[in-house]
Amino acid sequence: MNLVYAALLSLIALLFFLAAVTRVGAWWIERSYPAQGEFATVNDTRMHYIFDRGNGQTDLPPVVFLHGASGNLNDPREAFLGQLGGRADLLFLDRPGHGWSGRGPKSNETPDGQAATVAALMEELGIEKAVIVGHSFGGAIAATFALNHPGKTIGTLFLAPVSHPWPGGVDWYYDLTPVPVIGRIFSETLALPFGLMRVRPGTECVFTPNRPAENYVERTGVALVLRPWHFRANATDVSRLLDYVTKTAPLYSRIKTPAVVITGNKDAIVLPRVHSLGLERDLPNAELVWIENLGHKPDYVATDLAVAAIEKLAGAPRDLQAMGKALETEIAGDRFGPVERCLE
């Protein structure tokens, strides 16, 4: 019996130690990647955003960027500000519960709630209509935004999106983390120290077979997701997504605004034949640009093409298919990171 008590005390001591490591780690991460933007409370949610205004010299309508799972506003901002800065009013935001935004009401646990919060933020900032850009998980929110807020949608750009029900589920830690007590203990003890060891290999899988953008981890502050409250919000989003898109995808035919879908056949994170082909099939006014040997990050690997898609959604003539073929030639030799390993 003494051995049982000793083992139990050892386990409790280990958990307290890991909790302390997590708190120190979260403090260090927040010091390394502080909030850079402004805050506004809309839909009972304290939203963190950066609004890069064009100062009257714009040639494009406003653009709103929705980052993917495990991300924050730095991800799309690092990808697009260089090419679009000054050309449009650009709204980069931390989705509810991500980056430096608060989680807000329970409605923000699903894409329609987050879309409503984004719409409220647009109203707060005086953005009447915009091109909505959604990457990965942000694609599900972008589709919902076009469905529920057509008056605010000029067009939608989907980048390696999630949008439809897929076979299988999600990684185990997404399902574990929202579980009461056990999930809380996991997020407060193990998620951060073990997550730090997975940040760079995980980034390689996100980009594979393309080489990751230089200093991507440092520039985008990926580690912010490892803070316990952010980790729980992200896990809740992902664990509930399959049920949500299963109910919502049949409604996509109601979306009348134009859309462009840019996806790669070597995406190791989502299934492009399920999601991107599904959007092409279900959206009445969608153009699919299918890129051979492109992974999950067209926002970085195909930035020129994505910018041209935004221009086309704004009304400019752009031959996206020709640009896509040119990009295929450019990246045909990319062999960074085995897709097969990342799919395991």
Side-chain angles (χ1 to χ4, degrees):
M1 188 64 69
N2 288 337
L3 288 176
V4 174
Y5 286 140
L8 182 59
L9 288 174
S10 296
L11 176 59
I12 293 173
L14 177 60
L15 291 176
F16 272 106
F17 171 74
L18 290 172
V21 169
T22 295
R23 288 300 171 182
V24 172
W27 173 84
W28 173 80
I29 289 169
E30 291 189 339
R31 289 290 297 270
S32 300
Y33 306 105
Q36 300 292 321
E38 300 177 77
F39 291 89
T41 299
V42 295
N43 193 27
D44 295 324
T45 308
R46 188 170 187 258
M47 292 291 290
H48 176 240
Y49 66 92
I50 296 178
F51 192 16
D52 287 297
R53 299 177 185 270
N55 296 321
Q57 305 300 316
T58 62
D59 65 324
L60 292 171
V63 186
V64 176
F65 295 88
L66 305 175
H67 64 79
S70 305
N72 60 74
L73 63 78
N74 292 319
D75 194 6
R77 193 165 187 262
E78 286 289 330
F80 288 106
L81 183 60
Q83 291 205 32
L84 290 175
R87 296 190 59 192
D89 291 338
L90 307 175
L91 177 58
F92 302 94
L93 57 94
D94 287 332
R95 294 193 289 104
H98 296 254
W100 288 93
S101 287
R103 186 59 162 173
K106 196 171 182 62
S107 60
N108 281 333
E109 293 181 357
T110 56
D112 55 348
Q114 293 194 24
T117 299
V118 171
L121 180 61
M122 289 172 60
E123 290 185 9
E124 178 74 13
L125 298 177
I127 304 173
E128 295 183 6
K129 303 178 70 172
V131 174
I132 309 298
V133 180
H135 171 248
S136 193
F137 188 103
I141 301 173
T144 294
F145 191 96
L147 181 66
N148 293 347
H149 308 278
K152 293 184 176 298
T153 308
I154 294 171
T156 308
L157 173 58
F158 296 95
L159 301 173
V162 178
S163 57
H164 286 70
W166 65 90
V170 296
D171 288 333
W172 61 269
Y173 51 86
Y174 289 126
D175 286 328
L176 173 66
T177 302
V179 175
V181 183
I182 295 176
R184 183 83 178 213
I185 292 173
F186 175 73
S187 65
E188 294 283 353
T189 58
L190 293 169
L192 189 147
F194 284 96
L196 286 174
M197 293 187 290
R198 291 293 306 160
V199 166
R200 293 191 185 280
T203 297
E204 291 181 3
C205 284
V206 169
F207 275 87
T208 190
N210 315 118
R211 181 174 293 277
E214 187 175 359
N215 297 323
Y216 174 82
V217 171
E218 292 77 15
R219 288 161 55 197
T220 61
V222 174
L224 285 167
V225 74
L226 298 176
R227 297 169 299 165
W229 62 271
H230 189 169
F231 194 86
R232 289 193 293 271
N234 187 61
T236 299
D237 284 356
V238 174
S239 66
R240 297 186 178 183
L241 183 59
L242 179 56
D243 287 343
Y244 180 82
V245 295
T246 299
K247 292 183 294 185
T248 307
L251 306 178
Y252 290 162
S253 61
R254 301 178 185 177
I255 298 174
K256 305 305 180 185
T257 48
V260 174
V261 184
I262 299 176
T263 198
N265 73 318
K266 292 294 182 68
D267 193 327
I269 305 300
V270 303
L271 300 172
R273 295 188 180 278
V274 170
H275 304 289
S276 295
L277 292 183
L279 286 170
E280 181 190 35
R281 178 192 66 235
D282 294 340
L283 296 182
N285 191 12
E287 177 180 0
L288 173 65
V289 187
W290 184 273
I291 308 295
E292 297 291 323
N293 208 48
L294 175 66
H296 191 60
K297 292 297 284 178
D299 42 350
Y300 283 80
V301 181
T303 312
D304 291 346
L305 177 61
V307 169
I310 292 171
E311 294 169 343
K312 185 168 187 175
L313 290 168
R318 296 290 183 269
D319 189 342
L320 302 182
Q321 301 302 323
M323 292 186 68
K325 292 302 179 183
L327 178 62
E328 284 184 345
T329 301
E330 181 181 335
I331 66 175
D334 283 3
R335 295 292 185 272
F336 187 92
V339 175
E340 293 76 14
R341 172 177 62 80
C342 295
L343 289 173
E344 292 178 353

